[in-house]
């Protein structure tokens, strides 16, 4: 996703999970009608919906008429506002659990908020779960979040010192049970301006 032109671009990989085999598929769609400064992106489990958040303090849902084909995306007229939790801050990144019943959002100041969806992957059914976790003992400005598929781990990107921190959840998918795992790594040798993070389904690779 490009914040400069408010557009989501699609790439394919000839070898699964190997980003060195990626190539641009000439498929994209613009979110500018809803979000002029997009910052976070997520996709549902079957590739039929994409979600974007940004400085409007809301998350927007886009449906794909052909699964995993970004060029077929259109606004689903579904959104949810984070403003009650955020105040003057902004959402920087979002992620779902695998079943689409839980949404996580991290703010610029390092607090992770958890939301419940009464209908899986339908953002219009979201509500605040009154659960959060503050990462500021390690972070100062956060720009990315990724939750492991089993819900026991969360990765957070700290922008100022180019570091990814890992947190463990004693109760899977319950962000209120998170604690710092004392595991981190720096991206400085590759990237001094990290914004996003992703994790492979088996938790063996981080992007």
């Amino acid at each position: 996703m490009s914040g400069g032109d408010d557009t989501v671009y699609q790439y394919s990989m000839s070898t699964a999970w190997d980003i060195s085999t990626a190539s641009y598929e000439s498929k994209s769609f613009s979110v500018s009608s809803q979000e002029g400064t997009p910052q976070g992106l997520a996709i549902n489990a079957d590739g039929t919906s994409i979600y974007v958040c940004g400085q409007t303090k809301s998350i927007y849902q886009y449906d794909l008429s052909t699964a995993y084909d970004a060029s077929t995306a259109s606004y689903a007229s579904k959104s949810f506002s984070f403003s009650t939790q955020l105040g003057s801050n902004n959402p920087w990144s979002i992620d779902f659990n695998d079943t689409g019943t839980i949404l996580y959002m991290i703010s610029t100041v390092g607090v992770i908020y958890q939301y419940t969806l009464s209908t899986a992957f339908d953002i219009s059914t979201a509500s605040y779960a009154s659960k959060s976790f503050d990462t500021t003992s390690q972070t100062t400005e956060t720009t990315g979040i990724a939750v492991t598929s089993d819900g026991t781990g969360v990765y957070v990107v700290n922008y100022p010192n180019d570091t990814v921190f890992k947190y463990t959840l004693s109760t899977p998918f319950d962000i209120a049970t998170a604690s710092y795992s004392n595991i981190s790594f720096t991206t400085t040798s590759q990237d001094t301006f990290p914004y996003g993070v992703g994790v492979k389904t088996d938790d063996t690779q981080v992007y």
Side-chain angles (χ1 to χ4, degrees):
M1 182 175 65
S2 171
D5 60 5
D6 314 323
T7 299
V8 176
Y9 296 95
Q10 180 172 328
Y11 300 79
S12 63
M13 287 176 283
S14 56
T15 301
W17 300 104
D18 184 344
I19 59 172
S20 68
T21 68
S23 59
Y24 179 45
E25 288 197 290
S26 298
K27 295 180 179 181
S28 64
F29 71 94
S30 174
V31 301
S32 60
S33 295
Q34 291 76 44
E35 179 56 71
T37 312
Q39 294 171 167
L41 175 72
I43 188 167
N44 70 345
D46 63 5
T48 57
S49 294
I50 288 177
Y51 308 82
V52 172
C53 71
Q55 292 189 15
T56 61
K57 303 181 191 298
S58 293
I59 178 174
Y60 300 94
Q61 180 172 332
Y62 301 83
D63 290 343
L64 285 67
S65 56
T66 300
Y68 296 107
D69 186 338
S71 65
T72 69
S74 60
Y75 180 44
S77 297
K78 295 180 179 181
S79 64
F80 176 76
S81 175
F82 297 127
S83 59
T84 301
Q85 288 74 53
L86 288 171
S88 61
N89 299 308
N90 289 311
W92 252 107
S93 184
I94 48 176
D95 200 7
F96 289 92
N97 68 338
D98 285 354
T99 59
T101 56
I102 300 174
L103 170 68
Y104 305 89
M105 178 270 290
I106 193 165
S107 68
T108 50
V109 293
V111 179
I112 303 169
Y113 298 95
Q114 181 172 326
Y115 301 83
T116 302
L117 283 70
S118 57
T119 300
F121 291 112
D122 184 340
I123 202 64
S124 66
T125 70
S127 60
Y128 181 43
S130 298
K131 295 181 178 183
S132 64
F133 177 70
D134 190 338
T135 70
T136 53
S137 293
Q138 293 76 45
T139 67
T140 54
E141 184 177 350
T142 49
T143 53
I145 182 174
V147 181
T148 60
S149 60
D150 65 1
T152 63
V154 175
Y155 295 90
V156 171
V157 175
N158 187 52
Y159 168 79
N161 64 0
D162 317 322
T163 301
V164 178
F165 296 95
K166 186 177 183 180
Y167 300 85
T168 55
L169 284 68
S170 57
T171 300
F173 299 109
D174 186 343
I175 201 64
T177 70
S179 61
Y180 180 43
S181 68
N182 292 308
I183 296 172
S184 66
F185 68 93
T186 179
T187 67
T188 305
S189 296
Q190 295 78 40
D191 193 337
T192 56
F193 298 96
Y195 282 147
V197 63
V199 59
K200 189 177 177 181
T201 49
D202 63 4
D203 201 20
T204 60
Q205 291 176 330
V206 173
Y207 304 85

